[in-house]
Amino acid sequence: MNFDTVIQSGTVVTAADTVVADVGIKGGRIVALGTDLPPTGAKVVNAEGKYVFPGAIDVHTHLDMPFGGTTTADDFESGTTAAACGGTTSIVDFAIQYRGDELRKGLDTWHGKADGKAAIDYAFHMICTDLPIARLRDMDKLVDSGVTSFKLFMAYPGVFMVDDATIFRAMLQTKENGGMICMHCENGGVIDVLVQRALAKGETAPKYHALTRPMTAEAEATRRAIALAEMAGVPLYVVHLSAGDAMEEIRKARQRGVPAFAETCPQYLFLSYEDYERPGFEGAKYVMSPPLRPRGNEQRLWEGLANNALQVVSTDHCSFCMKVHGKGSMGKELGRNDFSKIPNGAPGIETRVHLLYDGGVRPGRLTLNRFVDVIATTPAKLFGLYPRKGTVAVGSDADLVIFDPKKRHVISAESHHMRVDYNPYEGREITGRVEQVFLRGEQIVTDARFTGKAGHGTFLKRAPSGQAALGLTAG
Amino acid sequence: MNFDTVIQSGTVVTAADTVVADVGIKGGRIVALGTDLPPTGAKVVNAEGKYVFPGAIDVHTHLDMPFGGTTTADDFESGTTAAACGGTTSIVDFAIQYRGDELRKGLDTWHGKADGKAAIDYAFHMICTDLPIARLRDMDKLVDSGVTSFKLFMAYPGVFMVDDATIFRAMLQTKENGGMICMHCENGGVIDVLVQRALAKGETAPKYHALTRPMTAEAEATRRAIALAEMAGVPLYVVHLSAGDAMEEIRKARQRGVPAFAETCPQYLFLSYEDYERPGFEGAKYVMSPPLRPRGNEQRLWEGLANNALQVVSTDHCSFCMKVHGKGSMGKELGRNDFSKIPNGAPGIETRVHLLYDGGVRPGRLTLNRFVDVIATTPAKLFGLYPRKGTVAVGSDADLVIFDPKKRHVISAESHHMRVDYNPYEGREITGRVEQVFLRGEQIVTDARFTGKAGHGTFLKRAPSGQAALGLTAG
Amino acid sequence: MNFDTVIQSGTVVTAADTVVADVGIKGGRIVALGTDLPPTGAKVVNAEGKYVFPGAIDVHTHLDMPFGGTTTADDFESGTTAAACGGTTSIVDFAIQYRGDELRKGLDTWHGKADGKAAIDYAFHMICTDLPIARLRDMDKLVDSGVTSFKLFMAYPGVFMVDDATIFRAMLQTKENGGMICMHCENGGVIDVLVQRALAKGETAPKYHALTRPMTAEAEATRRAIALAEMAGVPLYVVHLSAGDAMEEIRKARQRGVPAFAETCPQYLFLSYEDYERPGFEGAKYVMSPPLRPRGNEQRLWEGLANNALQVVSTDHCSFCMKVHGKGSMGKELGRNDFSKIPNGAPGIETRVHLLYDGGVRPGRLTLNRFVDVIATTPAKLFGLYPRKGTVAVGSDADLVIFDPKKRHVISAESHHMRVDYNPYEGREITGRVEQVFLRGEQIVTDARFTGKAGHGTFLKRAPSGQAALGLTAG
Amino acid sequence: MNFDTVIQSGTVVTAADTVVADVGIKGGRIVALGTDLPPTGAKVVNAEGKYVFPGAIDVHTHLDMPFGGTTTADDFESGTTAAACGGTTSIVDFAIQYRGDELRKGLDTWHGKADGKAAIDYAFHMICTDLPIARLRDMDKLVDSGVTSFKLFMAYPGVFMVDDATIFRAMLQTKENGGMICMHCENGGVIDVLVQRALAKGETAPKYHALTRPMTAEAEATRRAIALAEMAGVPLYVVHLSAGDAMEEIRKARQRGVPAFAETCPQYLFLSYEDYERPGFEGAKYVMSPPLRPRGNEQRLWEGLANNALQVVSTDHCSFCMKVHGKGSMGKELGRNDFSKIPNGAPGIETRVHLLYDGGVRPGRLTLNRFVDVIATTPAKLFGLYPRKGTVAVGSDADLVIFDPKKRHVISAESHHMRVDYNPYEGREITGRVEQVFLRGEQIVTDARFTGKAGHGTFLKRAPSGQAALGLTAG
């Protein structure tokens, strides 16, 4: 038994277990866990008193994404570098099909964006905006090529929104091809009417973004998406769930045996509507959809994460600078006089693991095992990446995080790696720190500094997500 | 790296993961998991194509228990031998305090019953029947000595039943000492009235046992036990939950953040009220409390197991022969003319793992991981045995089951190891078989034959169950 | 005190009370209730041993309605004659706005259909199919002219269906003008996909009408309509609710204080999916939307009627002959080879009161008071007709039914007054019979024979329905 | 048609209707309602612009009741006089069986207390504290003599509390004799433990009365009582329901068809836990069981009253002076140094109707009809007094209240008629006033002054309550 690397004496945490063990790595994979693995000839990393987590997986990112005349601030290089520093070793980003285009064209464009730039492994979901009956079979081809999940929108009429018949047809298609539908659940029709009425009344400040997107509009759409999936007989994955009432719809569906799943994001757990009322235009930092919810709602989400009403925490990382981007395009300023023009989205790819440990595990809201489950294991299982990714087990990729539970640091735009001029959690002190990160056995973060390189990340061809989700249903 | 034993190439299953790996054992513990552990000098067991499960844990057994003039058919020798053959390597049996006695006296008696006879490891819960205020502090001493859970009865007035004030006081005491209350939830007062009325009408056949113990009497008591625990601010563990409505009370409690847990048993998943209507006195085989429920109820329990409304499957093994026991005492015949005199209980310690795999995993009701979770990991975690027991992980006791998922066999009293003259599942064909079983590294079942020995089992001093349960709550 | 008519010694039933009393009528109105009203000079009707109910109100009828190339079989003359014979003295029919037309034009058309033909009093709801923003204010004018409720469709894409933004805008308009939105709740998008797929598979028989309109599609749309109303802050009235799951959405909304109301119809209480499986083309008789539901569902509706999850029983009377209408247009035969071409609807205006008494009151599912409430009082209160209509009280119109609870008769197309060649309840024996009916004091049914005349009915200008509904909410 | 009295032009309100009408009274009963009743020879009372309500019924009073060494301050004379002034014309008081006594003895005692003293009509429930099997049949005799409801306690161990078996037996007995069980739902065992612990800690102030009677203890007992009634197959009436969670148990029971009913009282609608924190010993005024609940809870009760989760508002009038009673016995002062010794109860018999109109009807929480329903009609129907009492209908007793909706007054101990030295609502201004009250046609309140006399009230022999309750279930 010889190893390329041995991580010694760490507390290895999986979704089920917490044990002290050495981890032996060879050829980029974990080949042994043991009490005293022989270090001869291996690089030895001491992890005593530290946690060894599986590399986290972020199944909701938007890198290098065009949006209303601008582009997100982070491309695949800056975004994945920041992810790595935050303990994330795989992402699933959203490729976009624009109206009139083939699905394949959108996917090719996104491959072009990521290729040679990603510092961590990556996969794609496909956003579909145009699915006439004749194009449904194109979905099958994507599944064959490892893009096994499709995102549809119930919001943004005229841009991304598709009608219920289209959603239902797409679901029936994934029933055949094993893919899975991911859904943005907000009632876009209602929201548009509310936005128009607000603007007509001169209500243009950032907070009206939230006030025109009621929680009920999300709960309704969530219930509708579940009903469609139930009638189609397929699994459903609800993205960026924000409202407690929407969560109850997921819970009720699961109780009656419907394979419905949902992710929430740190912003819904740590921030609240009150942030929109910050002075001046500062509220624009928090303009995202769904919006932040009133204080008190986050407690429901925490409980839902603990008792499995929610299954995943991802980021919906979608960064726009407040001022001008490095690339020269406009940022949030676009909407200074009209909240509806503020680019929707906020950065988060780098802060998820730290926030969830500090605010979830430390105060006892989540066990260590549940924490690993929601940031790594379940995402991997739902999206066809398991067991290659998502756990610390013999045979899995050696994507590992060594985490010091005692070290403190402060979140700040000054020190973060994301290419954006603010951080929603600016000044928050965090206990616990990602110290070392390994991707397929190579160390890409060393003592909390990025030591990997662009292009090291590879495209992950995923197994069918829908089938994986069904497999997860019983338990 | 050298090992006493290497189990090669099995599919190792934990509550979270399923991976092919070798398992290296030394000094009775698992010291390595790896892709190619060096077999030099070790006993090698080939597990290719087979599952390697953690040894199962049965947290609800009644061995060598006196009951209404007779004694259960299985003592610690026959019971634990049968358990081993069924893939169970640890039990938690119930020691009984009789009225007027000290708790310690009951515990000593049960130590005497087990000592030198058990073929697998064992621990004790303490049944309390007499808890005046002055005796509450005796509970603390038991917790200190590793008996960290206490069972109380809401049924059997005049025998085991205690009133709500007593339950509440005991709960407040475990809040201080870290123990946990396990509860038999049936409304004994109502049941007694119904039994008296049935007998007065000449309704004496076994089926009246079930007809006088309505599901509502169980749901009510479950709700009450939860309310008491909620007011006391302590975790609760409901034993042998049988009715879907009772399960809903557990689910609702958990949803509002109350640390309530429940086990069900294979009899409630595989048998039904209809078994009481078998010809002659055969229904007596199924007389247990709570009774079997009408067909349809089991489906609710299966769904609850999958989605975590229920957390554990144990057996409530409590065996009485139909005719005369080997020891000479009477069996179920005692109640031939009066169902209320039929000894309550049925054998099951040997069949749990096989039934749950065949009827739960194979048809897709439970994932492999959830199966391991409910028979081993969660019981270990709830009752202070984890991580020594309940998982396949570095550092844990080498309690392992090698399970052939394809081999078939038939359940029968003729071949089972329990000392009882019938089997409730007689003739049921099972796919999947416990082939090899290891207890702390020693092989005690070989090719499905018992090769261990009485007295090899040791007493397990448990960590505080209540604290463990609270730790499990968040996730 | 002198009267035109005195109804003596009947058991007068209101939504709250059941008392023996004489009813004194003068000038078309009830002017006294008493123990011994002086009969001098009055027409005297002996009602001893009989019930005196308020004339029933049917708030959901489609008379003389064009539909897919044909017209409903009953016009305002035959339809209201049949209604009278069934104990109904007021209807609210649906006027239709066709795409591109003004609302007023549709209303005028329907006034033309009813004027001079109706044998009982009538009012109109307005079906809106085309509501651009510029036309929203036209709704206000209708409210001013006594047409105070608007029906929108979530089904029938391309024909009646409007999108969520339109619904929401209409709701906001009724918030201002005091009207109320009545909603057909089925997800038309999903249903269309299912219909297309069924036809593509050659599934053309009548039963596929039901199999392509799942209960979940109704529950979803009901939930959505409630959410929209909740966000708009207005009352909602769900028409022809058929599925138990849809009813639960109403109940939950009411429990959290949302003023949501729903009607069901006798067909959903007395018939079931199994009727579609009748031999040959007979199932076509029951093709209506929503369709009949599987047996067992009706029990949930009965319970909902009793405990106020449902508030009204109307008929959705929409009659099509199986063969050729008297007017020469085609009937259900249109869809012999394609269920989707079968005209949707069934006759029921004549049978509601008899069915509900026989199947609801007699077996104890509804009290007499609740029966009166759901067929007369609550409909009158919700739709702005109370206290002129809907009760037996001093000052109300003398619309009265004398009902013999013991007399039996058999429902049959041979004897009914509707102009349609079948009766969905053919051969059903009914205990209880409408014997005498008075409309504003004039006797229009005498000994169960129609003795009124076409044109006697007058248009009822209604008070704002939405305001009335809000007034009803508290209790 | 001639009358003793004609009440002219009032707005007559029943549980269903609101109409302007004259009311004609003769021989103590209502003999006519009409638009222009001939006043010749009759006493004429002008009620134009005023409401005419049925005399209210208070089904929960404790007059002249011994309690822990003292006696309630109001006897049947002062209590019923106060009731009359508050618009209440009938009460159902609680006769008590003490341990060891026959039921009949307790009833006779209470007949003695009321006879010749009551100013309004009265009936009795029977409190049973001692129900050995041999005495169950005595319940039948009471039903025969018009005492058709029995109250049992799940609280006050050692005083009133009976165990579940006793409750269940009593329920089975009422199933046979048509009576009904009224239940005080609080878990007495838990409460006693909490009280002992509080006192041991020196927590003696009045607020600890509330802090030792948690809402969960009420919800639990309510759920248990429902379960027992469900298993017995009988209706249940829960008295003085105070906690929203307890109400949810009633609602859920009703939804699944269980005939469960509950009353709440004005104190739970208008006061709150915060009143216990008043300075000094003032909190003692509010010591009653169940205790006042935290602010916010009352909103749930109001909604429950509106949507029929609750059916009745009674008072639980049980008055103790703060200082010394007129009769010389001690009042609340008994518990100055120990909250558990404060006599439980508060006065309310006089203020119910005023409070409920002012705080319920005026702000739109209850419709006028629902208001009449919960204070008069449903109590009469549930407890076998309808149609003699509880409505304004031909044939009913002329128990009538003329209520001026505009007149204002202030509640104060200085002006109230109850013989108690404080009023829980001291200083509250009320809009709306009971002006005239008639009992069986005789005016007992005139221009808000008592003009009746002691002894005018008669004992009301009631029809079986359980049968009445079952009749009410369907609707």
Side-chain angles (χ1 to χ4, degrees), chain C residues 256-272:
Chain C
R256 64 179 187 268
V258 175
F261 303 87
E263 66 181 22
T264 190
C265 309
Q267 50 270 37
Y268 305 118
L269 294 165
F270 290 93
L271 305 173
S272 69

Side-chain angles (χ1 to χ4, degrees), chain A residues 23-247:
Chain A
V23 183
I25 300 170
K26 192 167 187 180
R29 301 171 68 200
I30 297 166
V31 295
L33 296 159
T35 44
D36 279 297
L37 296 186
T40 324
K43 171 181 173 183
V44 172
V45 181
N46 180 16
E48 201 174 341
K50 315 224 167 133
Y51 291 123
V52 180
F53 297 139
I57 299 172
D58 188 343
V59 297
H60 194 145
T61 67
H62 297 284
L63 299 179
D64 201 0
M65 186 186 82
F67 183 93
T70 183
T71 302
T72 54
D74 284 303
D75 62 10
F76 276 80
E77 181 169 348
S78 70
T80 57
T81 299
C85 293
T88 293
T89 53
S90 299
I91 60 170
V92 189
D93 199 81
F94 287 90
I96 304 179
Q97 172 216 27
Y98 292 102
R99 304 223 163 183
D101 289 348
E102 299 292 319
L103 294 177
R104 185 71 225 180
K105 181 177 171 191
L107 180 58
D108 289 345
T109 303
W110 256 259
H111 268 298
K113 289 168 189 276
D115 194 30
K117 298 185 79 176
I120 61 173
D121 289 351
Y122 59 93
F124 296 116
H125 310 280
M126 190 78 220
I127 289 176
C128 303
T129 63
D130 192 8
L131 280 178
I133 293 172
R135 194 171 279 152
L136 287 169
R137 286 182 185 276
D138 292 354
M139 298 172 81
D140 306 357
K141 294 178 201 155
L142 262 70
V143 171
D144 290 343
S145 62
V147 175
T148 63
S149 44
F150 304 89
K151 183 179 177 187
L152 301 177
F153 287 80
M154 300 170 100
Y156 305 118
V159 184
F160 290 125
M161 187 167 125
V162 289
D163 66 13
D164 291 355
T166 301
I167 293 169
F168 191 60
R169 273 194 214 97
M171 284 174 165
L172 291 167
Q173 197 71 21
T174 60
K175 186 177 186 176
E176 302 301 318
N177 64 32
M180 184 160 64
I181 300 298
C182 301
M183 194 76 78
H184 178 129
C185 295
E186 287 189 296
N187 188 309
V190 165
I191 288 167
D192 258 29
V193 172
L194 291 173
V195 168
Q196 290 153 17
R197 289 166 66 97
L199 293 176
K201 283 187 277 182
E203 298 168 344
T204 61
K207 73 174 178 181
Y208 291 104
H209 172 73
L211 295 174
T212 56
R213 304 185 86 91
M215 293 202 280
T216 299
E218 185 186 1
E220 182 284 308
T222 304
R223 171 70 169 83
R224 180 155 39 109
I226 290 167
L228 270 54
E230 197 170 358
M231 289 187 280
V234 299
L236 171 74
Y237 183 83
V238 174
V239 297
H240 52 44
L241 188 147
S242 73
D245 283 356
M247 183 180 80

